[in-house]
Structures are given as C-alpha cells and as structure tokens.
Amino acid sequence: MSNVAYERIKNNLEKLKLTKINEIIDNYLEIALKEETNIVDILDYLLDQETKFKDTRASEIQVNVAGFPYRKTLEDFEFEFQPSVDKRLVEELSTLRFVYNAENVVFLGPPGVGKTHLAIGLGITAAKNRHLTYYISCQDLISELNKAHFENQLQKKLKHYAKYKLLIIDEIGYLPMDIQGANLFFQLIAKRYEKCSTIFTSNKSFSQWGEVFSDNTIAAAILDRILHHATVVNIKGESYRLKDRKEYMSSRKEITNTLLNK
Ligand code: ADP
Ligand code: MG
C-alpha cells in the first residue's frame, strides 16, 4: 500500500469518525495480509468491530443519562429471598414488551423489599436496548414541575418528560403531596398516557393514594390512567436491608463469642 493511500485511509477514518477501525486497522491489516485474508472478510471484520463498538457506546450513554441513583441489575436480584416476586413475570417484563406497548409497571410494598432495585434493573435493560430512559424520585419530580409552573414553563417541562420512552417515578407516597403537586402529577400522567411507559414504586397501597395525593378525585383519575394498561407487582416480604443487618449482627456476635471464649 502506498504511503499516500495509507494517509488518505487514516484521514478518512478520522473524518468519518470510524474510531474503532482507526484503532485496530494497522495491526489487523498486517496479520490479514500475511494470512492472505480476502478483501470481503477484511471489510466484514472491520465494519463489524466498528458497529459493535458504536452499539456498546450508545448503550452506555443511555445508561449514563438515565440518572439512576445506583446500578443494580435484574441479575443481581435474589428471587429466593423475595418469593412474593414472580421471577417469570420479571423475566417477561425484561423482554421490554411493556415498553413497546406503552404499558406501565407498578411495584408496591414496604421499605427495603427491592422495589427501586427492580425498577432500576428494568430501566438499565431498557437503556441498554437504547430506549430513552429516565429515573426520578416522586419528590424531585414534583419540585421540578412546581418550579417550571412558577416560571411559566410547565408545558415545556411536561413535553420534556413526555419524550422518555421509559420514565421511572420512584417513592410515591413517602412524602405527602399538596393539591397543587397532585394536579401537576396528574398532568404528567395524562400527557404520557398510552404513549409511553412509566414504572412507579410506592410503599402505599392504592387505597391509600387518596391520602398521598391529598384528594380522592385526583387520585382516582391518576390511578385510572396508570392502571388501564399496567402490571402490578405486590411485594410482601422482609426488608433486604434487615437481612444484611441480621447477617452483620450474627457475624458480630460470632466474632465476639470467639474472642470471649479464647
Ligand atoms: P425499596 O423497596 O425500599 O425500594 P430497594 O430496592 O432500594 O428497596 O432495596 C434496598 C437494598 O436492598 C438495595 O441495595 C437493593 O439492591 C437490595 N435488595 C433488595 N431486595 C433484594 C433482593 N431480593 N436481592 C438482592 N438485593 C436486594
Ligand atoms: Mg426505594
């Protein structure tokens, strides 16, 4: 290969942003030419490496912009510890059919049973599959909407949240919401209704949502839209945090006993 051609190839790879090919071409060509690999196989290998690299990078970017508070995957979830969670149902959800169908998922249950973990696990799966995903706690969402409303930017903000293929609204009901907050929440739900998927988590049963939203009528209107197309996962069980604590306490006890018996 002439120096001029080589220079042009390198320049064009840079111009076309074919980063991976640019990185591997020197070594690869040396081997490929020695082994007399045919041109079709060479092109196939190089383009395949570039595509895989770009796919992985795009997935990583989606996961990074989703704003997850921690990264736990569905594989990290111990189903044996939480038998009230149907593993097959979670596996079905992980196919992301609910995202394609613009359906919702609701995780209900007391603190520490894995609601946020499962929501994030599904969120990571969706983001890796290049669905625009965003995580936000209910409290942060309401304060963002309140702020936008105050600044006369509510429609713009609602449009912003409506663009996510999957929105995770975590911790509904941990803090009480005033009627203004409930109204703004309703507007967001109405905007996303039947267009995109939302995952909700709450420590409060649906019958308590009237209190959560400070108004039975708004709560009913919100629930009506959420539950029209939704999978509800009711988790009844012990807190995983407590399990960790129990294990810690018993191992501490063991160490103390060993030391005392010495
Ligand atoms: P919450 O139901 O309050 O949202 P989280 O999902 O935040 O609870 O779970 C609390 C902690 O326990 C997290 O670190 C989470 O990863 C872990 N956890 C909860 N349930 C399980 C489980 N079944 N297997 C593995 N880790 C779990
Ligand atoms: Mg949580």
Side-chain angles (χ1 to χ4, degrees):
M1 194 180 358
S2 75
N3 268 352
V4 182
Y6 176 79
E7 282 299 317
R8 193 164 48 224
I9 288 173
K10 293 294 269 186
N11 283 339
N12 283 336
L13 286 174
E14 209 167 304
K15 229 186 234 173
L16 295 167
K17 296 195 167 59
L18 298 172
T19 326
K20 193 68 192 175
I21 297 184
N22 206 355
E23 182 193 316
I24 62 175
I25 195 166
D26 289 350
N27 279 341
Y28 176 69
L29 275 190
E30 203 173 303
I31 298 164
L33 292 176
K34 233 183 247 165
E35 289 176 358
E36 296 180 6
T37 313
N38 74 59
I39 187 68
V40 174
D41 286 344
I42 292 178
L43 273 177
D44 177 45
Y45 178 81
L46 289 173
L47 292 173
D48 194 48
Q49 291 297 308
E50 184 69 35
T51 308
K52 281 182 181 142
F53 170 74
K54 283 204 160 58
D55 281 349
T56 310
R57 203 176 50 179
S59 299
E60 278 164 10
I61 290 171
Q62 288 291 357
V63 175
N64 283 338
V65 299
F68 299 119
Y70 58 75
R71 295 222 183 142
K72 293 260 176 101
T73 63
L74 296 175
E75 287 76 38
D76 296 328
F77 194 79
E78 291 169 34
F79 287 91
E80 317 79 62
F81 181 78
Q82 211 58 267
S84 68
V85 178
D86 182 353
K87 189 177 178 190
R88 292 235 304 271
L89 178 64
V90 175
E91 277 168 358
E92 155 61 26
L93 291 171
S94 74
T95 65
L96 303 178
R97 213 192 316 247
F98 77 100
V99 176
Y100 293 106
N101 294 340
E103 293 169 0
N104 302 318
V105 180
V106 189
F107 291 108
L108 298 177
V113 293
K115 302 182 296 296
T116 303
H117 183 142
L118 289 168
I120 290 175
L122 287 173
I124 289 176
T125 309
K128 278 191 173 159
N129 281 278
R130 318 263 288 273
H131 295 291
L132 194 57
T133 300
Y134 194 65
Y135 167 99
I136 191 161
S137 72
C138 185
Q139 196 195 355
D140 287 350
L141 175 69
I142 298 302
S143 78
E144 284 289 312
L145 292 177
N146 259 320
K147 188 165 159 269
H149 181 62
F150 183 73
E151 291 167 355
N152 231 345
Q153 298 283 326
L154 182 61
Q155 288 315 315
K156 200 170 148 202
K157 200 72 180 177
L158 288 172
K159 226 176 178 174
H160 166 81
Y161 285 121
K163 77 179 182 195
Y164 293 107
K165 282 298 279 177
L166 177 63
L167 183 66
I168 298 172
I169 305 178
D170 199 13
E171 301 183 343
I172 294 173
Y174 273 86
L175 292 168
M177 205 183 289
D178 62 14
I179 195 92
Q180 159 87 350
N183 254 313
L184 295 170
F185 190 90
F186 170 75
Q187 288 189 57
L188 176 69
I189 300 306
K191 189 124 193 140
R192 292 179 60 80
Y193 176 59
E194 291 191 327
K195 290 199 193 79
C196 349
S197 297
T198 311
I199 299 180
F200 304 87
T201 83
S202 179
N203 61 332
K204 295 277 180 0
S205 65
F206 293 134
S207 60
Q208 295 170 295
W209 281 32
E211 289 160 45
V212 170
F213 291 100
S214 307
D215 184 284
N216 283 338
T217 316
I218 294 184
I222 288 169
L223 273 175
D224 198 44
R225 280 158 185 78
I226 291 177
L227 297 179
H228 187 189
H229 311 284
T231 302
V232 179
V233 183
N234 228 316
I235 314 177
K236 299 183 186 83
E238 252 199 81
S239 163
Y240 195 86
R241 294 190 188 103
L242 227 59
K243 172 203 170 220
D244 277 349
R245 195 174 153 70
K246 271 186 193 159
E247 274 170 11
Y248 165 73
M249 293 304 274
S250 74
S251 67
R252 227 179 78 164
K253 211 165 160 188
E254 232 170 72
I255 293 166
T256 316
N257 284 342
T258 321
L259 288 174
L260 286 175
N261 290 335
K262 267 192 176 163

